[in-house]
Amino acid sequence: MQLEQVLKYSILHNINYSSKELAQIFDNQYFNSERYPKALALDNNTDLVRHINHPEDISSVYKTLLHRMRNIAKQNYTIKETKEKRKPRIQFCGYSVNANSNQPVRLCKNDKGGLFFNGVANCGGYWRCPVCALKISENKKELLSGLINAHQLKGFSIGFLTLTVRHSRFDTLKKSLEKISKNYRSFQNQRFFSRNKIELGFMGQVKTLEITYSMDNGWHPHLHILFFYNHSDIKKIEKFQKEFISKWFKYQDNNGTLGAQNQKILTADISNYLAKYDITSEMTKGQIKSSKGLTPFTALAKIACGDFEGYMEKHRLYGIYSCYVEETQGKHFVNISNSLRTEYSQFMEEFNKTDEEIVNQTTIDEVLLKVSLPIWKLICKNDLQPLVLIKYKENNLEGVYNLLKYFRDFNGLDVEIDKDDIPILTFGMCELPKIRYPNLYQQIVAKTWKV
């Protein structure tokens, strides 16, 4: 897939920086700040510590951006959490080790070549955490894509609808959400739909919620819906869906416009593969994809990049995210009707996981490096998690070692080899190992990578 297509649903799409400029922004945040005092100068024969080597390495910039966004999100407390005086789970995400674990954190490679930390807590907050949201939305996209495939193999068609309601910039998110949710529930009981489902060949639906914000129009919640039919009568489906949206925008206090609604038909034709990809992305990446307005996570991204003018705009961006978190707690991301779950029960079992199970699901192809808990705590203290992954990707253990030695907190850093022949980052006995074994580090690198 071309890079432009990948970025279409990326947080970076709404940030007006090239990857090279973003890399420089994050370099400045790490290495030109009083918070990160420099340690001894690097050896002349090592790469610079800068965490980006090539402007086209968007994944590395993206990893750092997501980490920054999550740090900003951790500052947010809902009203309920404030009253109960408890910390939100997101504050432990990517930092705390798994409960009751005294084992080192492991830097692993998955079957696709990606690097990640294993043994670290994940919050599983789709509506709140940008890191977990990407994992969950990718899983749901796989689920919907498989569900669509299973339905199309029977030769049946699927309809895709987008439904909105009228709102103004003075309407609160709570009011708009309640309006669209309540009206859609009651609208499904309308005679033209509820009493003719058999005639329509209607099998069930999948519904997702998307929320954006703009200064001109305020909060804009809207529904994306897939209708599953037990036939491929395109004219019949199109007639029904057009009637559906024409009745919807005039229903009760919706006061919408016909142009703001949308309907498509996805047939079993293989030529519609690209359309299916667009639809599944539309259904599952609502809070992170590009849009005319801001999504809550693009608001976080702008704060992380410093892409705002003055304190007031920063405060407004953070307020967008905070309001979104407050009003989405407890809401389901993807709603699949029971009739579809029953029809495709064998397929659904494979994907029937909670959000927490999804974010903790890992495929470890190889354990590359272990990090002792004292070292891990200092990595978290300095917010170096994404840089450790990036430096390992660039230059293996040597890159990580040089990165950490750049900071005074890691004086005394040493590398050992465990019984499984895996290197462990730990603290040595002050400077003693370096005096007795001047080439210890080089020996370990040679033993591990046979250089």
Side-chain angles (χ1 to χ4, degrees):
M1 187 177 297
Q2 292 184 350
L3 182 61
E4 289 78 13
Q5 289 177 296
V6 174
L7 288 181
K8 183 176 181 182
Y9 295 101
S10 165
I11 294 173
L12 295 178
H13 188 86
N14 277 355
I15 306 300
N16 298 320
Y17 292 105
S18 69
S19 59
K20 184 176 182 180
E21 288 172 319
L22 274 174
Q24 188 60 55
I25 288 171
F26 294 130
D27 281 347
N28 292 342
Q29 289 179 354
Y30 273 112
F31 301 111
N32 292 346
S33 167
E34 292 181 0
R35 182 180 176 189
Y36 302 101
K38 293 183 179 180
L40 297 175
L42 298 176
D43 295 335
N44 292 330
N45 62 345
T46 61
D47 293 334
L48 291 177
V49 177
R50 295 294 184 263
H51 75 273
I52 201 79
N53 279 343
H54 307 289
E56 63 272 18
D57 188 5
I58 290 181
S59 64
S60 295
V61 181
Y62 201 32
K63 195 181 294 292
T64 309
L65 174 60
L66 287 171
H67 180 77
R68 289 289 189 186
M69 290 167 60
R70 181 170 58 185
N71 279 354
I72 297 167
K74 288 178 179 182
Q75 302 169 21
N76 175 259
Y77 281 70
T78 64
I79 294 174
K80 184 177 181 181
E81 288 164 350
T82 303
K83 287 181 177 178
E84 295 176 355
K85 297 181 180 180
R86 61 180 173 88
K87 292 182 178 180
R89 291 185 63 184
I90 191 174
Q91 289 198 1
F92 305 98
C93 187
Y95 285 79
S96 301
V97 295
N98 289 337
N100 303 319
S101 174
N102 292 318
Q103 300 300 315
V105 172
R106 301 186 296 173
L107 194 160
C108 305
K109 181 174 70 173
N110 62 26
D111 54 353
K112 297 180 181 178
L115 303 182
F116 65 96
F117 292 114
N118 179 255
V120 182
N122 296 293
C123 66
Y126 173 81
W127 299 107
R128 193 168 195 171
C129 175
V131 177
C132 290
L134 280 175
K135 298 176 185 177
I136 295 167
S137 63
E138 199 59 34
N139 177 276
K140 299 301 183 185
K141 179 181 171 183
E142 225 178 291
L143 165 63
L144 292 186
S145 180
L147 199 59
I148 290 172
N149 278 335
H151 194 69
Q152 288 181 333
L153 285 174
K154 296 184 177 183
F156 298 155
S157 292
I158 299 169
F160 173 69
L161 294 87
T162 299
L163 304 179
T164 68
V165 296
R166 184 179 292 276
H167 57 88
S168 75
R169 66 192 192 95
F170 302 107
D171 291 330
T172 63
L173 176 57
K174 181 178 181 180
K175 177 182 177 181
S176 297
L177 277 176
E178 288 178 348
K179 179 179 179 179
I180 195 168
S181 299
K182 177 177 68 69
N183 286 2
Y184 185 70
R185 281 196 301 270
S186 61
F187 183 73
Q188 293 177 90
N189 296 322
Q190 293 297 293
R191 179 179 300 180
F192 88 97
F193 183 42
S194 63
R195 297 186 181 181
N196 295 295
K197 286 185 178 180
I198 296 178
E199 183 182 341
L200 289 168
F202 183 82
M203 295 177 62
Q205 64 180 315
V206 178
K207 176 168 64 72
T208 63
L209 172 68
E210 180 179 346
I211 303 170
T212 58
Y213 179 88
S214 71
M215 284 297 291
D216 294 333
N217 300 308
W219 290 104
H220 177 52
H222 46 287
L223 301 175
H224 294 304
I225 305 168
L226 293 176
F227 281 166
F228 286 69
Y229 303 95
N230 63 3
H231 59 84
S232 288
D233 189 337
I234 304 302
K235 290 184 178 179
K236 185 177 180 180
I237 293 173
E238 188 173 39
K239 179 183 177 182
F240 161 67
Q241 292 185 170
K242 286 183 176 179
E243 182 182 6
F244 189 97
I245 62 176
S246 66
K247 290 180 180 295
W248 163 259
F249 82 89
K250 295 180 288 188
Y251 182 67
Q252 290 186 2
D253 59 344
N254 284 348
N255 299 323
T257 60
L258 184 60
Q261 325 305 317
N262 186 26
Q263 70 88 23
K264 299 176 185 177
I265 301 172
L266 188 63
T267 66
D269 191 336
I270 193 66
S271 65
N272 281 319
Y273 176 80
L274 184 59
K276 179 176 68 179
Y277 172 81
D278 287 340
I279 285 173
T280 53
S281 295
E282 189 84 359
M283 293 284 290
T284 58
K285 295 187 178 291
Q287 88 289 38
I288 57 176
K289 69 182 179 63
S290 63
S291 63
K292 293 180 180 178
L294 280 173
T295 67
F297 285 169
T298 52
L300 281 182
K302 283 180 172 290
I303 297 174
C305 296
D307 187 16
F308 52 85
E309 295 181 5
Y311 172 78
M312 290 304 294
E313 186 180 357
K314 180 181 179 182
H315 186 71
R316 178 178 68 85
L317 291 170
Y318 187 73
I320 291 171
Y321 171 76
S322 298
C323 183
Y324 167 84
V325 169
E326 189 68 44
E327 300 302 335
T328 54
Q329 294 307 294
K331 294 188 180 297
H332 291 292
F333 163 40
V334 175
N335 289 277
I336 303 175
S337 59
N338 290 331
S339 55
L340 286 181
R341 291 181 179 275
T342 302
E343 180 70 23
Y344 298 104
S345 57
Q346 187 173 359
F347 169 78
M348 291 296 298
E349 284 180 11
E350 182 182 349
F351 292 91
N352 190 24
K353 298 181 177 67
T354 65
D355 289 351
E356 188 172 352
E357 289 172 336
I358 291 171
V359 297
N360 288 315
Q361 180 180 341
T362 57
T363 302
I364 299 176
D365 188 61
E366 183 181 0
V367 178
L368 303 170
L369 175 67
K370 293 181 180 180
V371 183
S372 65
L373 295 187
I375 298 291
W376 177 253
K377 289 178 181 179
L378 290 176
I379 288 174
C380 293
K381 172 190 171 186
N382 290 281
D383 287 329
L384 296 175
Q385 297 96 310
L387 268 66
V388 169
L389 295 175
I390 292 165
K391 292 309 294 181
Y392 193 95
K393 177 181 176 182
E394 289 179 0
N395 205 21
N396 299 325
L397 174 58
E398 185 178 2
V400 175
Y401 184 87
N402 287 331
L403 168 70
L404 298 183
K405 290 295 289 185
Y406 190 81
F407 301 96
R408 290 175 183 167
D409 278 348
F410 296 93
N411 285 340
L413 179 68
D414 201 358
V415 183
E416 298 176 357
I417 297 292
D418 74 354
K419 62 181 180 180
D420 299 318
D421 209 29
I422 298 172
I424 305 177
L425 293 177
T426 185
F427 281 120
M429 297 175 62
C430 301
E431 298 295 322
L432 185 59
K434 294 183 181 179
I435 296 173
R436 292 180 58 190
Y437 308 105
N439 296 317
L440 174 64
Y441 173 66
Q442 287 81 359
Q443 292 171 15
I444 290 172
V445 171
K447 180 180 179 182
T448 307
W449 282 278
K450 298 179 176 58
V451 295

